[in-house]
Amino acid sequence: MDKLDMFFANRGDQLSQDLTRREFAYTRIKDAIRDSQLKPGEPLTETRLSKLLGISRTPVREALQQLVQEGLAESVPGHAVTVANRTIQDLLDVLHIRSLLEPEQARLAAEAITDEQLEALETVTERLVRTAQRHDLLNWVVEDVAYHEILKEACPNRLLSETVIQLKTRVHHMASIDTHTDPARLKACTEEHRAVVEALKTRDGNLAKEAMEAHIAALTNSLLRRISYR
């Protein structure tokens, strides 16, 4: 059993009645790309993926088409669909757009977030702190995804939040070089997440916006420094 087989097996993936087969395949393949179980340039073979997911090739093909449309996969005529390769410029473009959208997402979330969502964010943030202290990268990423999913649900502008999630996933494997190679940066990034939560707790939209702006700026500056040394 290789790493991808283990990834799907360990998640206990089962087809839910709430998901169509296409949605099921799309979600699982996207998760594998986001978690770097599928690497840039790696072929996305319908036969293998359908076997791993326990479904036919047709919904897998439809899921891959959606991933191509979103820029997470690439399709070259006459060749297999592959996980998209990203350039440094792609990363910088995404960070620029994130700097415009995520502060606004945080501002709107601060004004609409529920007590239950705040409690969930605090719980996830504490798990981020613990995983950062252990430099447990795999579980830190899992908690980071949960953190941003709660923010997505708290923001009343669904399109804005869905766009933010897609952007993060689009260059995840490149952005992760920042926290994954530097324990100090991982802890600093975690504290930036905590600062956003503290701002959200005040329900002050401008304060939450400023906290998110600081986080994206710190992420961008750190990545630019690393890129300049490569």
Side-chain angles (χ1 to χ4, degrees):
M1 181 179 288
D2 64 17
K3 289 179 63 177
L4 187 60
D5 294 281
M6 292 176 63
F7 174 78
F8 284 122
N10 289 341
R11 287 177 57 89
D13 292 318
Q14 295 180 349
L15 181 59
S16 166
Q17 293 180 350
D18 297 330
L19 295 175
T20 66
R21 283 174 169 77
R22 180 195 60 77
E23 291 169 338
F24 171 77
Y26 165 79
T27 300
R28 297 301 181 262
I29 299 168
K30 182 180 70 172
D31 286 348
I33 294 173
R34 182 199 63 209
D35 293 346
S36 299
Q37 300 300 318
L38 289 166
K39 307 295 184 183
E42 185 171 345
L44 298 171
T45 308
E46 291 177 15
T47 302
R48 183 189 181 199
L49 290 171
S50 64
K51 182 178 179 181
L52 286 170
L53 295 170
I55 58 177
S56 67
R57 291 173 58 180
T58 298
V60 171
R61 184 180 306 118
E62 293 171 348
L64 293 178
Q65 289 171 351
Q66 183 175 351
L67 290 166
V68 169
Q69 291 173 356
E70 294 178 1
L72 296 177
E74 296 174 335
S75 177
V76 179
H79 297 276
V81 176
T82 62
V83 179
N85 276 302
R86 294 294 170 206
T87 66
I88 296 299
Q89 188 58 54
D90 291 329
L91 174 60
L92 296 176
D93 289 346
V94 167
L95 286 172
H96 180 210
I97 300 173
R98 285 184 61 186
S99 73
L100 300 175
L101 298 186
E102 288 192 56
E104 178 64 9
Q105 179 196 36
R107 185 186 71 81
L108 293 173
E111 298 170 356
I113 196 165
T114 66
D115 291 340
E116 291 77 11
Q117 288 167 334
L118 272 174
E119 183 177 352
L121 264 181
E122 288 187 288
T123 299
V124 169
T125 302
E126 288 308 309
R127 291 201 295 263
L128 280 172
V129 170
R130 290 196 294 272
T131 54
Q133 289 171 343
R134 300 193 304 266
H135 203 229
D136 181 354
L137 303 177
L138 180 60
N139 285 307
W140 191 92
V141 169
V142 171
E143 300 302 341
D144 181 59
V145 170
Y147 178 101
H148 286 280
E149 284 293 331
I150 297 169
L151 270 183
K152 182 185 79 170
E153 294 302 319
C155 177
N157 188 322
R158 302 292 299 189
L159 179 58
L160 171 61
S161 284
E162 288 168 2
T163 302
V164 166
I165 295 295
Q166 288 179 8
L167 285 168
K168 283 175 60 61
T169 304
R170 191 180 181 96
V171 293
H172 171 78
H173 67 279
M174 295 184 71
S176 65
I177 64 173
D178 183 44
T179 53
H180 283 207
T181 56
D182 185 351
R185 176 58 199 148
L186 183 65
K187 291 180 180 179
C189 184
T190 302
E191 289 306 312
E192 291 156 19
H193 282 63
R194 195 207 295 269
V196 171
V197 175
E198 292 301 314
L200 289 169
K201 287 165 63 176
T202 70
R203 303 187 189 277
D204 184 328
N206 289 329
L207 194 61
K209 180 179 180 181
E210 290 171 2
M212 186 61 79
E213 285 173 341
H215 167 52
I216 300 298
L219 171 62
T220 302
N221 290 336
S222 180
L223 283 167
L224 284 174
R225 286 195 298 272
R226 291 184 175 278
I227 290 168
S228 67
Y229 294 145
R230 295 177 72 181

